[in-house]
Amino acid sequence: MTKPISPLRIPEEAKDRIRTLFMAKHALFGGGMHPEDGNHAIYHHEVRTTLEGLGLNLEFANHYEVLFEKPDVDFVFPLLNRGGFVNSEMLIPILCNKHAIPYLGAMPFLRGLGDDKSVSKLVCEHAGVPTAPWFCYRRGAPIREDDLPVKDAGRWVIKPNASSASWGITDASNWVEVANAVWHIHTEGHDAIVEPYLNGYDVQCAFITIEDEPIALPMLWYEREDTQRLWTYYEKRDLVENKEKAALKRFDDSDLAPKIEAMARKVAQEFVPFDYGRIEFRLDLETGDINFIEINLNCNLWSEKVMAKAAAKAGFSHADLLETLLAESWRRNGLIAAG
């Protein structure tokens, strides 16, 4: 199980010396709910104020164009991930690579690999980690019933192959409904992944890297009242009332938790170095079945979400978490000496 860890600290001289560019869609918004992005704006504002509280030498930007020419900075902290176009997760790391500027998080290819739900499942299979059957209907390719995973599943889940916060998720009980859902996602400009619906609970495995090794934070799970119900993007962003306020609690089952953590470590090792990420599994308590669902590199760092909640269980404040992420990334990128 997870071992006790302590926050990393940034030398005071480095806080002033290293010019850090914080990039987020709502980096300049000033806090409060956003009419389209909801609590995402609160999240970006909170990270900004936490970084300011660390006494860092900061600049701020809310658009990609700041990296079209090389900016006068030493490091980029990217939260401008969902840019409104496919594969936007990779753009900031690519532009940083072009200018030889180090940045927080995984390299572009790994970001894209993690963002592609279908290909990340192939990585899990390579690592020997179970995942439910799936098929990715790529935009522009035929939509064929023969490719449907588990023909007699009775219920399938369809969602954009690269999305977050359950944007675009729906379910279907027959092929016509599946095909229509896939077609709709294609019209939005995205590939669609289809899986049989897995009953159970979402177990969240948050990792940070320290000295290039993935370190598991305490495992969490959503203790839900109704495991058959799909959560929507609008509920997760607090744009509508969440009809089911599931509790995010520590998952420490003496038999199942070690099994899930061992699987999560295998997955995490495939993506090193990534600085931080969240790996999600679906657990059926009735059957004991455990299946990989997705990995989210550079996941949400808001204090109300899994990464910060898991870090808090390990004794980290929000500031401790962000400082640790930066200290490790700065060491890895040669901006500060190894501690």
Side-chain angles (χ1 to χ4, degrees):
M1 294 298 292
T2 55
K3 298 179 181 179
I5 55 174
S6 299
L8 302 181
R9 298 304 180 197
I10 299 170
E12 288 300 319
E13 63 82 20
K15 291 182 178 181
D16 184 62
R17 171 173 55 85
I18 299 172
R19 299 162 297 177
T20 299
L21 175 62
F22 175 62
M23 298 182 65
K25 183 177 181 181
H26 303 291
L28 307 177
F29 187 64
M33 289 283 287
H34 187 273
E36 294 178 358
D37 297 329
N39 56 35
H40 221 52
I42 299 173
Y43 156 44
H44 288 169
H45 180 71
E46 180 192 53
V47 172
R48 170 178 173 159
T49 55
T50 300
L51 293 175
E52 289 174 329
L54 291 174
L56 305 179
N57 183 351
L58 293 166
E59 297 183 21
F60 306 98
N62 59 1
H63 55 86
Y64 296 103
E65 288 80 2
V66 71
L67 289 175
F68 286 1
E69 300 292 335
K70 186 174 183 178
D72 190 21
V73 298
D74 302 303
F75 187 82
V76 173
F77 190 126
L79 291 189
L80 185 55
N81 300 328
R82 299 293 171 183
F85 56 92
V86 177
N87 302 135
S88 57
E89 289 271 328
M90 295 188 288
L91 183 56
I92 289 179
I94 287 173
L95 291 171
C96 286
N97 282 354
K98 177 178 183 293
H99 300 309
I101 302 172
Y103 48 88
L104 185 67
M107 64 186 73
F109 179 78
L110 291 180
R111 288 289 300 272
L113 193 159
D115 197 39
D116 190 298
K117 291 179 172 58
S118 177
V119 179
S120 65
K121 288 176 179 288
L122 293 175
V123 173
C124 287
E125 287 193 335
H126 176 265
V129 174
T131 183
W134 81 95
F135 188 79
C136 182
Y137 291 90
R138 300 287 180 182
R139 185 168 176 257
I143 303 175
R144 296 183 295 223
E145 186 174 2
D146 286 346
D147 294 322
L148 186 66
V150 189
K151 302 296 189 293
D152 59 349
R155 186 184 183 190
W156 294 265
V157 174
I158 309 96
K159 54 190 172 183
N161 189 50
S163 68
S164 64
S166 297
W167 175 81
I169 192 171
T170 188
D171 61 353
S173 59
N174 58 60
W175 167 245
V176 173
E177 292 177 353
V178 170
N180 285 338
V182 169
W183 174 84
H184 180 74
I185 290 172
H186 285 183
T187 63
E188 296 285 332
H190 292 264
D191 299 333
I193 187 170
V194 178
E195 304 164 295
Y197 181 80
L198 297 178
N199 187 44
Y201 298 86
D202 294 333
V203 179
Q204 311 286 339
C205 304
F207 280 82
I208 59 176
T209 57
I210 295 180
E211 296 183 355
D212 302 318
E213 286 297 320
I215 304 297
L217 297 175
M219 197 179 305
L220 305 177
W221 70 318
Y222 285 103
E223 194 175 44
R224 304 185 60 185
E225 297 175 354
D226 182 4
T227 60
Q228 295 291 315
R229 183 174 173 275
L230 295 179
W231 276 339
T232 69
Y233 170 86
Y234 299 98
E235 288 173 323
K236 289 187 176 183
R237 289 285 186 257
D238 291 332
L239 290 166
V240 299
E241 181 183 359
N242 192 335
K243 298 177 182 178
E244 182 192 7
K245 291 289 186 182
L248 184 61
K249 297 182 177 180
R250 184 159 186 165
F251 183 77
D252 53 8
D253 183 279
S254 59
D255 294 323
L256 294 171
K259 293 179 182 179
I260 297 174
E261 184 172 310
M263 293 179 186
R265 287 183 184 278
K266 289 181 179 180
V267 176
Q269 198 63 53
E270 298 284 340
F271 290 86
V272 174
F274 60 88
D275 290 335
Y276 68 102
R278 175 184 56 79
I279 303 169
E280 182 176 320
F281 292 86
R282 180 63 55 85
L283 167 64
D284 189 328
L285 286 176
E286 294 182 1
T287 65
D289 288 344
I290 304 165
N291 283 281
F292 169 84
I293 297 295
E294 66 180 24
I295 182 169
N296 189 343
L297 303 178
N298 291 60
C299 58
N300 197 308
L301 291 172
W302 187 23
S303 61
E304 296 298 317
K305 295 296 184 180
V306 168
M307 178 60 65
K309 291 284 190 182
K313 297 292 185 183
F316 283 52
S317 68
H318 194 240
D320 289 337
L321 173 62
L322 298 190
E323 186 170 7
T324 297
L325 297 181
L326 285 172
E328 169 66 9
S329 189
W330 288 4
R331 179 207 59 80
R332 178 167 60 82
N333 286 287
L335 293 174
I336 59 176

